Amino acid sequence: MSNSSNFLFKRRQILAASALGALALTAPGLLGTAYAEDPIKVAAIYTVPVEQQWVSRIHKAALAAQERGDIEYVFSESVSNNDYERVMREYAEAGNELIVGEAFAVEDAARAVADDYPDKAFLIGSSFKPDDAHPNFAVFDNYIQDASYLTGIIAGAMTKTNNIGMVGGYPIPEVNRLMQAFMAGAKEINPDVKFQVAFIGSWFDPPKAKETAFAQIDAGADILYAERFGVSDAAKEKGLLAIGNVIDTQADYPDTVVASAIWHFEPTLDAAIEKVKAGNFKAEDYGVYSFMKEGGASLAPLGTFEGKVPEEAMKMVDEKREAITSGAFTVEINDEEPKSN
C-alpha cells in the first residue's frame, strides 16, 4: 500500500462516524427556532470522500460539535453532482435543520432546493455571494490566504533552485486565492523565485497529482506546493520538500512537509449553529470566519523542521502573522488563475 493510501486509510478510521436520528426541533416556517440546550439536526453532503483535505475539515468540525452535544450529525460522501439535489431534498425531508455542503458544480440546483424548504438553514460552500432572494442560503469558503502567505515565505527561503512546483485541483477562486497568496509570500522574501503551475482537473486523484509533480521536479522544482494529495508522495520519493495545504500531514511526511496552511472550519460551523438555535440564520457570507484573525486559519507547527528554516524567514513569518492577526497587514485576496512564469 502506498504512503498516500496508508494515510487515507488511517484518516478514514479516524474520521468515519455516524449519528443517531432525533426528532426535529424546528416547527415549519420558523427557521432555526430551537431550544438552545438541545442539539439540532445537521446533515452534510460531500461530493468526495471525507478523507479529502477540504471536506475533512468540515467533517472534523461537525464531529467536534456533535461530541460536545450541540448537534446530531449525519453525512453522505462521494455524492455525484447528478445526485446532489436529490440528497439535499432527502435530508431536508428527514427533518434536518441545518444542511451543510458544497455547491461548486450545482449552484442553481442547491438554491432551488433551499427555496423549497424555507424553514431549513443551508450553509453551502460556494464561489458566489449570498443573495437575499434565497434568504435561508448562506455561503462559506476556505479563505486561508493568510496562512498560505506565511507558508510561501518559508518556501521562498528554503528553495535552492528558485523553482517551485505547484499542483492544484481546478483553477477556481477557492484554489487560486491560496496559490496566489503562497506565491506572494515566496516573492516577499525571494524576488527571484519562479513557479510551475499545473491543475489536474480533479479534486481527488492522488496518482495524477503525483505524476504531475514528478514532471515539475524533472523541470527543476525543488519544493512542491501540495494543494492535492499525491504531491507530497512525489516529493518524498525524490528526497525533496513540500508545503501542505488545508490539513497538517507533517507527521506522515516528517522529512518532506516543511509547513502547512491549516483551515479550521469550527468558527464557521459554530457561528451557523448559534444562529440556527437563536432563530436568526439568514443569507450571509461566512467566508470571514476562515480568516486567521477569526481563528479560521493557522500555520501548522513545523515539527521535524523546527530550527531548520532560515532565521530570517521565521522572523518575517512571526512579524507578518502578528500583523495579520492585529489587522495591521492584509493578505491580498486574488482569485485570478495563477500562471507559470
Side-chain angles (χ1 to χ4, degrees):
M1 186 179 289
S2 68
N3 288 313
S4 59
S5 296
N6 274 322
F7 173 70
L8 296 180
F9 180 72
K10 287 188 290 182
R11 285 194 68 80
R12 177 173 288 279
Q13 288 181 312
I14 294 170
L15 292 174
S18 62
L20 295 175
L23 292 176
L25 299 174
T26 305
L30 299 176
L31 178 58
T33 303
Y35 295 105
E37 67 271 17
D38 293 332
I40 64 171
K41 292 183 68 175
V42 175
I45 311 166
Y46 307 124
T47 59
V48 294
V50 291
E51 295 94 347
Q52 191 258 11
Q53 299 105 302
W54 197 84
V55 159
S56 74
R57 305 307 289 177
I58 303 172
H59 187 59
K60 178 177 180 291
L63 290 177
Q66 177 177 248
E67 185 176 352
R68 66 174 183 257
D70 283 345
I71 68 173
E72 295 196 10
Y73 172 54
V74 294
F75 69 94
S76 295
E77 59 183 336
S78 300
V79 176
S80 69
N81 292 333
N82 290 336
D83 271 348
Y84 207 88
E85 181 178 352
R86 176 186 61 80
V87 177
M88 287 183 74
R89 292 184 182 279
E90 288 180 354
Y91 276 136
E93 293 287 348
N96 291 286
E97 298 146 275
L98 174 62
I99 296 174
V100 181
E102 78 270 19
F104 299 111
V106 289
E107 295 282 355
D108 292 338
R111 284 169 173 76
V113 173
D115 292 344
D116 289 343
Y117 297 93
D119 59 322
K120 310 298 182 184
F122 293 81
L123 179 64
I124 306 295
S126 172
S127 299
F128 297 95
K129 294 300 181 182
D131 185 346
D132 289 338
H134 312 283
N136 59 332
F137 191 96
V139 299
F140 70 86
D141 216 336
N142 61 327
Y143 283 91
I144 62 169
Q145 65 282 341
D146 300 326
S148 296
Y149 179 87
L150 299 182
T151 62
I153 293 174
I154 292 172
M158 296 290 282
T159 178
K160 293 180 173 58
T161 64
N162 287 337
N163 187 328
I164 297 177
M166 305 182 70
V167 180
Y170 292 94
I172 64 171
E174 291 70 26
V175 175
N176 296 345
R177 73 174 65 107
L178 307 188
M179 285 186 161
Q180 292 282 10
F182 171 86
M183 296 165 77
K187 290 178 180 178
E188 178 73 20
I189 197 167
N190 183 356
D192 296 326
V193 72
K194 303 294 182 182
F195 304 94
Q196 300 179 59
V197 181
F199 298 93
I200 62 172
S202 172
W203 291 131
F204 196 74
D205 191 344
K208 188 173 183 179
K210 185 177 180 180
E211 289 304 315
T212 303
F214 277 144
Q216 294 181 340
I217 293 170
D218 289 343
D222 67 341
I223 291 184
L224 298 173
Y225 176 80
E227 201 271 328
R228 293 291 102 194
F229 278 144
V231 177
S232 294
D233 288 303
K236 180 179 179 179
E237 287 189 22
K238 296 294 185 178
L240 299 177
L241 303 178
I243 299 294
N245 179 60
V246 177
I247 62 175
D248 184 8
T249 57
Q250 218 280 321
D252 297 277
Y253 303 91
D255 300 318
T256 304
V257 175
V258 184
S260 298
I262 307 301
W263 183 31
H264 304 287
F265 191 69
E266 287 79 0
T268 302
L269 181 60
D270 293 350
I273 292 170
E274 181 179 349
K275 291 181 180 183
V276 169
K277 287 189 173 186
N280 58 10
F281 187 92
K282 61 182 181 179
E284 293 182 87
D285 186 352
Y286 280 66
V288 65
Y289 293 108
S290 292
F291 284 28
M292 184 174 286
K293 64 182 179 181
E294 299 292 337
S298 69
L299 178 67
L302 300 185
T304 56
F305 283 90
E306 194 71 47
K308 297 179 182 179
V309 178
E311 184 177 346
E312 175 194 5
M314 291 313 301
K315 181 180 179 181
M316 181 180 290
V317 165
D318 291 339
E319 291 173 348
K320 292 294 186 181
R321 177 164 42 196
E322 183 178 345
I324 290 169
T325 303
S326 70
F329 175 73
T330 300
V331 176
E332 180 185 3
I333 297 175
N334 183 349
D335 289 346
E336 295 182 4
E337 180 178 343
K339 303 290 186 180
S340 302
N341 61 7

